[in-house]
Amino acid sequence: MSAVLEAVRMGRAGETELLLRKTPDAERRALLPELKRLRKEVRALPWEQRNRLDRMYPALQVAGAMCHSGAAAAATWIAGADMRWRQAPTETLLRALAGRDTGWQADVARRLAARPVSADVPFPLMAGLVRRSGCEVPVTDAYVVGWVRHIGHGWGRVPLIDRLRAEPDLAPLVNGLFELSDPGEVRWLFGDGPGSWQSAIAELTRRGELDRGAVADACVARLLRGGGPTDHRIFLPVLVQLALTREEERERVTDWTALARDAVSPVAAHAQAVLAALALDGGLTARQLAEASEGLLFRTEKKLVRAQLVLLGKALAREPASAAQLLPTVAQAFGHEDTQVQERALKLVERHAKRLDDPAARSDIAGAAGQLSPVLRTRAADALGIAAVAAPEGPEGYEEVLPPAPEPFRPAPAPDSAVELAEEVGALLAADGDVAAFERALDGLARHAHRDQDALRAALEPVAATRWWSQPDARRWWHTDEYFGNTRYGLLGARDGLELLLATLFGVVGTDTLFAAQQRGPADHECAHTGFSRVFDVRLRELAYRIRTDPQPLLLATPSWSTGLLEPGELVDRLAVYGRLGARVGAADFAQALLRVRREDRAAALAAAERAAALGTPEGERLARRLSAGGPALPTSHHRTSGVRILVESGEVLELQADFPEAFRRLGRPVTAGDEQRYCHHWGQENHQHWLAVLPEQRELVAVRLVHDLSQAAVDDQRGIAAALPLLAESGGTAGDSTRLCVAYGLGARHPEDRLAAVDALLVLAARGQLDAERLGADLGQLVRRGAVKPLRLAESARTAAATGANTTIWEMLRHTLPVLLADLATAGAGTPGPVRGLGELLSVAAECAERSGARGALPHLSQAAARRGSSRLVVQARRLRDALGEEAAA
């Protein structure tokens, strides 16, 4: 037994296998406890001894596989995560298991194949066990993915189709390929064109080596199942290359109908093409064509909708008697957002309405006509010979109902239990929380550190044990004092601040380091965000130092509301607690409290000022002066262009320069366009919500430092930057130039989630009566004109906002955006660039909003655009908007 263990320790897998082959079963089982202890020992080896790990694990894998008598235990040992990257040679493992009976080997094969793909069980090992045991091939994800990788990687220059033909279990494995949970695991091996997997499977099917019906059914079933983009790129080419006959296609009409309705665009287009060919060959009844069209006409892809209307037109021309069945289906396109699609559908109805002798069908079409634009509704009424059709939501008496703005809430007080506080801190370290949760945790740490630090450390012990700085070798590999004392870039996030506070509580950071970092502050590296990052940094470093030297009974700056606002009466109460306990007020904590205290409610502010002055402390007097001085002041600001961007520069805020620590004074310093050109290390957006909570009544001071960031979402296609926009809209203070520009850039962002955040912000501002739609529209016009915002993206954002019912708001915005762009169109001469791409979409959204809200009046340069020749989307939508506004046609 000692010889086996010595061979394992020396990493001799072959010798281990030879020794154990001669060892009786009972002695093998007796070796298991020693092998498990050795495995535990190996896991604990430090990473620098990786050569020893690489040498020992293969022998350990062989030994465990041979010593376990149960198939389940052997499979678990072989597929262990720690052995994944240090596998024993497959032939050695197969020899090691060769002495077991075939049923046992088959059981191990099935258990290994049932492991997830991520376990990376070697395919040759699973296939070898299947082959030796003679069991049925296990068609699992791990086995099929392993097979595809094995076939795709090797065999020199042997063509793929020949490699597949040599596979004895080809049919079940190909069927398993269609059943894969995630084909993305092997998508990169499939390729395209001749020589690909798809063409090989199709060719083997044509030769009869695979059942044609089974492969076709598997393709269709997989496409019906849906999935990611990988699915159709793998399975649709197989279906196309099978070249199904008309009879085979006719057998699957129900499947084509479902695919045309619900599948991704490429699959839906193929299904539509199959249905069209069947319809034109007489292979579809009118009822089947109507059922297939019902779902297609609701799709967003205009190309598919238009193609289906063409097909319906051909079917109606060939079989006029089908009008009663097909025309109500055509009328479903009346509700499409594209008025050109509406008009195409209406033309079909106008052309065939005289053959419509079914009153029920005529009534259905008349009901659907209410979704048409006003001009088209009149035409529909004439075609059907009925009274003018009323819109379901006419402009008469239109009243806009905006989604309600989120209401701020009062956060719960800090937990009274240290254990509950520890749970909340652990949750914040695992995933960033909101401002309320973070500030609640800070206040809780301060209170419990003042009350009983030993009890606090005991409660936080499970949380601290998971942190990198608490690991045994942390101090050898990381200089924790240098790490936590480094102020060059400051604390980059809320989690960094919590890490500092926990490390302070557990003595990982020296007191001298905490003192030096507090005195020194972040390095003098300026960018647009430096002021907020320094305030955030200095507060946390002050708290850490006070926890170590002079714990505070509570934090003065803890917000009363989720937005960061602090009620003045509550701040006075907290100062009174400090006075009663004789506690020393923290400079940064008090400065942040002064910035957060509510001043817009003048009655409450003046009442609290009297109470604060009566405290008779320097802090009480400072608070009284601030509350008595009036509401928050805004700096002067003006626009400044930088390339295609429009930015905002702001002047100095004098009230932030006096009686504040140096770090806080930076918030009131001027902001210039040049600040944005400097290197900035504030890459993440998770701190934006905390920056907004620094100045909850002065969002313009935050927004002016975010304008350039938001411009990157539109100009540079960056993702995630606009996430702070709803919070900016929910904040307090004037929504001025900077806030509007932030929203404008968000509406033109590259990524849908960013545009949706901007739409949310726009609706919140509108619901709170703080949106200047006229100036926002003018800003958007200039941004589109300069190329910073793309019209198609803006149109999508505007359409999304209008869909909530904000038709008047969006019309007021676009009413001031469109003239800028239409003026360029009107003055363009020969040789000048054509119309702005996407202008037709903007006109379409504007027309929809004008029709629904009942807007009237002239729009500069619209008549000239509507008078242009042709039937482009721009011209058609310009005419639609002109008619909706009641403008007269240009002479």
Side-chain angles (χ1 to χ4, degrees):
M1 287 168 48
S2 60
V4 172
L5 291 174
E6 183 62 26
V8 171
R9 287 184 179 276
M10 297 304 295
R12 298 170 184 157
E15 182 181 338
T16 300
E17 182 259 323
L18 288 172
L19 289 170
L20 284 173
R21 193 185 300 171
K22 301 172 185 176
T23 305
D25 288 347
E27 293 184 19
R28 289 189 193 181
R29 287 194 295 272
L31 267 174
L32 274 174
E34 288 294 330
L35 290 174
K36 291 177 180 178
R37 278 193 291 272
L38 181 57
R39 184 179 185 184
K40 198 173 194 180
E41 177 187 327
V42 173
R43 284 175 176 166
L45 286 174
W47 184 248
E48 62 266 25
Q49 297 185 29
R50 61 174 299 171
N51 289 336
R52 187 179 171 191
L53 294 175
D54 292 339
R55 206 169 51 244
M56 195 182 302
Y57 263 117
L60 191 59
Q61 187 181 34
V62 170
M66 296 184 73
C67 291
H68 279 96
S69 57
T76 300
W77 183 280
I78 291 170
D82 53 337
M83 310 223 185
R84 187 174 305 161
W85 303 111
R86 308 170 186 91
Q87 298 272 346
T90 298
E91 288 304 318
T92 302
L93 272 174
L94 287 174
R95 283 198 310 270
L97 302 176
R100 305 299 182 101
D101 63 74
T102 55
W104 188 92
Q105 292 187 53
D107 196 4
V108 172
R110 285 191 291 268
R111 291 178 183 276
L112 290 176
R115 293 269 166 173
V117 175
S118 59
D120 281 331
V121 179
F123 174 76
L125 174 62
M126 294 186 288
L129 289 170
V130 169
R131 185 174 61 254
R132 292 186 180 194
S133 66
C135 70
E136 184 178 343
V137 60
V139 187
T140 64
D141 278 10
Y143 197 91
V144 173
V145 168
W147 173 68
V148 172
R149 289 173 177 170
H150 177 71
I151 293 291
H153 272 126
W155 300 32
R157 298 183 179 178
V158 180
L160 175 63
I161 191 169
D162 292 335
R163 287 177 253 164
L164 291 173
R165 294 181 68 187
E167 172 57 60
D169 298 304
L170 180 63
L173 288 173
V174 168
N175 187 63
L177 180 62
F178 289 99
E179 296 293 331
L180 277 179
S181 300
D182 181 13
E185 297 281 356
V186 292
R187 169 69 183 97
W188 62 279
L189 285 170
F190 273 63
D192 298 297
S196 66
W197 274 79
Q198 296 94 321
S199 61
I201 291 173
E203 180 60 27
L204 290 171
T205 304
R206 283 192 291 270
R207 294 181 184 182
E209 297 184 45
L210 289 171
D211 183 82
R212 181 179 178 84
V215 172
D217 288 341
C219 279
V220 172
R222 181 66 198 215
L223 295 173
L224 282 169
R225 191 168 114 187
T230 299
D231 287 41
H232 76 262
R233 290 172 186 163
I234 292 178
F235 303 113
L236 181 59
V238 178
L239 186 61
V240 172
Q241 292 182 48
L242 285 178
L244 300 183
T245 64
R246 279 284 178 265
E247 186 58 35
E248 290 172 323
E249 290 174 342
R250 192 175 293 111
E251 292 171 357
R252 297 173 173 83
V253 168
T254 303
D255 295 330
W256 305 128
T257 299
L259 289 173
R261 287 179 174 182
D262 304 319
V264 294
S265 287
V267 178
H270 175 74
Q272 183 187 44
V274 172
L275 289 169
L278 288 171
L280 295 177
D281 286 350
L284 288 184
T285 65
R287 181 181 181 82
Q288 288 175 319
L289 179 57
E291 288 176 354
S293 301
E294 283 175 0
L296 261 168
L297 293 177
F298 280 109
R299 293 188 68 104
T300 57
E301 302 93 333
K302 297 172 187 175
K303 183 177 179 181
L304 295 180
V305 175
R306 290 168 182 165
Q308 195 66 17
L309 288 174
V310 170
L311 174 61
L312 287 166
K314 291 179 179 179
L316 285 164
R318 279 182 27 168
E319 193 175 345
S322 64
Q325 286 183 295
L326 295 183
L327 283 183
T329 301
V330 171
Q332 292 183 6
F334 290 173
H336 200 277
E337 65 181 23
D338 186 351
T339 53
Q340 289 181 307
V341 170
Q342 293 180 13
E343 188 165 14
R344 283 172 180 263
L346 180 58
K347 285 180 179 178
L348 277 179
V349 172
E350 288 174 329
R351 191 177 305 144
H352 300 280
K354 59 186 177 184
R355 301 189 180 99
L356 196 61
D357 53 7
D358 185 342
R362 188 177 291 271
S363 175
D364 289 343
I365 298 172
Q371 302 173 82
L372 292 167
S373 65
V375 174
L376 297 182
R377 285 200 298 272
T378 302
R379 284 174 50 183
D382 292 341
L384 296 170
I386 59 176
V389 184
E393 181 186 305
E396 297 80 7
Y398 173 82
E399 182 178 352
E400 182 163 75
V401 180
L402 294 166
E407 293 291 334
F409 62 88
R410 277 188 172 272
D416 193 53
S417 163
V419 173
E420 184 183 348
L421 173 64
E423 292 175 354
E424 294 190 6
V425 170
L428 286 170
L429 287 169
D432 286 321
D434 56 19
V435 169
F438 179 70
E439 293 287 347
R440 167 184 161 97
L442 292 187
D443 189 38
L445 288 170
R447 289 173 183 266
H448 284 278
H450 180 268
R451 185 183 307 166
D452 187 344
Q453 290 201 16
D454 290 336
L456 178 59
R457 274 189 289 269
L460 287 168
E461 182 65 41
V463 178
T466 66
R467 313 320 301 167
W468 63 268
W469 43 263
S470 69
Q471 305 310 308
D473 289 338
R475 295 210 174 199
R476 183 164 50 151
W477 298 109
W478 297 89
H479 300 291
T480 50
D481 271 303
E482 181 179 338
Y483 179 87
F484 285 113
N486 181 10
T487 59
R488 182 180 181 189
Y489 296 130
L491 299 168
L492 301 181
R495 275 182 280 190
D496 298 317
L498 290 175
E499 295 274 14
L500 170 64
L501 297 177
L502 290 186
T504 299
L505 276 166
F506 284 89
V508 174
V509 188
T511 305
D512 291 345
T513 300
L514 294 171
F515 178 76
Q518 183 192 17
Q519 295 299 308
R520 185 168 59 248
D524 192 17
H525 176 84
E526 293 289 342
C527 68
H529 312 121
T530 300
F532 289 101
S533 66
R534 293 199 67 173
V535 167
F536 188 77
D537 188 275
V538 75
R539 279 188 67 212
L540 289 163
R541 293 192 185 279
E542 178 185 81
L543 176 57
Y545 181 68
R546 291 291 298 273
I547 285 175
R548 177 66 56 80
T549 61
D550 181 18
Q552 298 157 271
L554 52 85
L555 293 184
L556 297 171
T558 303
S560 307
W561 297 95
S562 56
T563 57
L565 269 177
L566 173 57
E567 290 297 335
E570 292 183 29
L571 180 52
V572 175
D573 292 340
R574 294 173 190 174
L575 285 173
V577 172
Y578 268 75
R580 187 169 63 253
L581 297 176
R584 182 168 57 89
V585 171
D589 183 31
F590 183 54
Q592 176 62 93
L594 290 178
L595 294 183
R596 284 179 171 167
V597 70
R598 182 197 292 271
R599 293 188 289 163
E600 287 186 340
D601 185 344
R602 297 308 302 151
L606 292 174
E610 290 184 14
R611 292 180 55 211
L615 292 175
T617 62
E619 290 79 18
E621 292 176 2
R622 283 184 58 193
L623 175 58
R625 287 198 302 271
R626 184 165 180 81
L627 292 174
S628 302
L634 279 179
T636 58
S637 65
H638 61 276
H639 286 184
R640 172 78 176 271
T641 59
S642 176
V644 299
R645 292 174 169 85
I646 299 176
L647 303 176
V648 179
E649 294 186 330
S650 67
E652 189 175 38
V653 183
L654 294 177
E655 71 171 8
L656 294 178
Q657 300 303 306
D659 295 333
F660 279 97
E662 188 275 337
F664 289 78
R665 294 176 194 170
R666 292 173 180 264
L667 297 175
R669 293 184 183 173
V671 176
T672 66
D675 293 337
E676 308 296 349
Q677 308 304 319
R678 300 176 185 174
Y679 173 77
C680 175
H681 60 271
H682 304 96
W683 305 292
Q685 289 81 52
E686 65 275 3
N687 275 353
H688 288 173
Q689 60 174 333
H690 297 287
W691 295 351
L692 282 160
V694 170
L695 292 165
E697 280 191 330
Q698 293 173 285
R699 68 173 140 212
E700 276 294 286
L701 293 183
V702 184
V704 72
R705 291 164 170 84
L706 295 181
V707 170
H708 187 270
D709 293 1
L710 268 297
S711 73
Q712 292 177 318
V715 178
D716 303 321
D717 295 350
Q718 290 197 17
R719 184 191 294 270
I721 295 176
L725 280 177
L727 297 175
L728 183 68
E730 293 169 27
S731 191
T734 301
D737 290 346
S738 300
T739 301
R740 283 194 304 274
L741 269 179
C742 285
V743 173
Y745 281 120
L747 294 173
R750 162 67 176 82
H751 299 284
E753 62 269 28
D754 288 325
R755 293 198 295 272
L756 189 58
V759 169
D760 287 344
L762 182 149
L763 293 173
V764 169
L765 290 172
R768 297 175 67 179
Q770 297 173 333
L771 180 68
D772 189 335
E774 177 179 342
R775 297 185 68 179
L776 175 61
D779 287 342
L780 282 166
Q782 294 301 325
L783 289 173
V784 172
R785 187 182 191 190
R786 297 178 66 85
V789 167
K790 292 180 170 57
L792 284 174
R793 298 177 186 173
L794 175 58
E796 184 174 338
S797 296
R799 181 172 281 115
T800 302
T804 68
N807 292 289
T808 298
T809 298
I810 299 305
W811 164 245
E812 284 300 314
M813 180 183 80
L814 294 179
R815 186 167 68 89
H816 294 88
T817 302
L818 291 171
V820 179
L821 308 179
L822 293 173
D824 289 343
L825 184 67
T827 57
T832 59
V836 177
R837 183 172 178 267
L839 180 54
E841 289 297 327
L842 275 177
L843 287 165
S844 173
V845 179
E848 180 76 18
C849 292
E851 289 168 353
R852 291 189 178 277
S853 64
R856 294 292 184 269
L859 188 70
H861 311 292
L862 177 61
S863 295
Q864 294 92 317
R868 292 165 69 96
R869 295 180 180 178
S871 58
S872 67
R873 183 161 183 77
L874 187 154
V875 173
V876 170
Q877 296 304 322
R879 292 169 183 166
R880 176 189 174 194
L881 178 57
R882 178 198 63 193
D883 295 341
L885 294 176
E887 283 193 35
E888 294 185 4

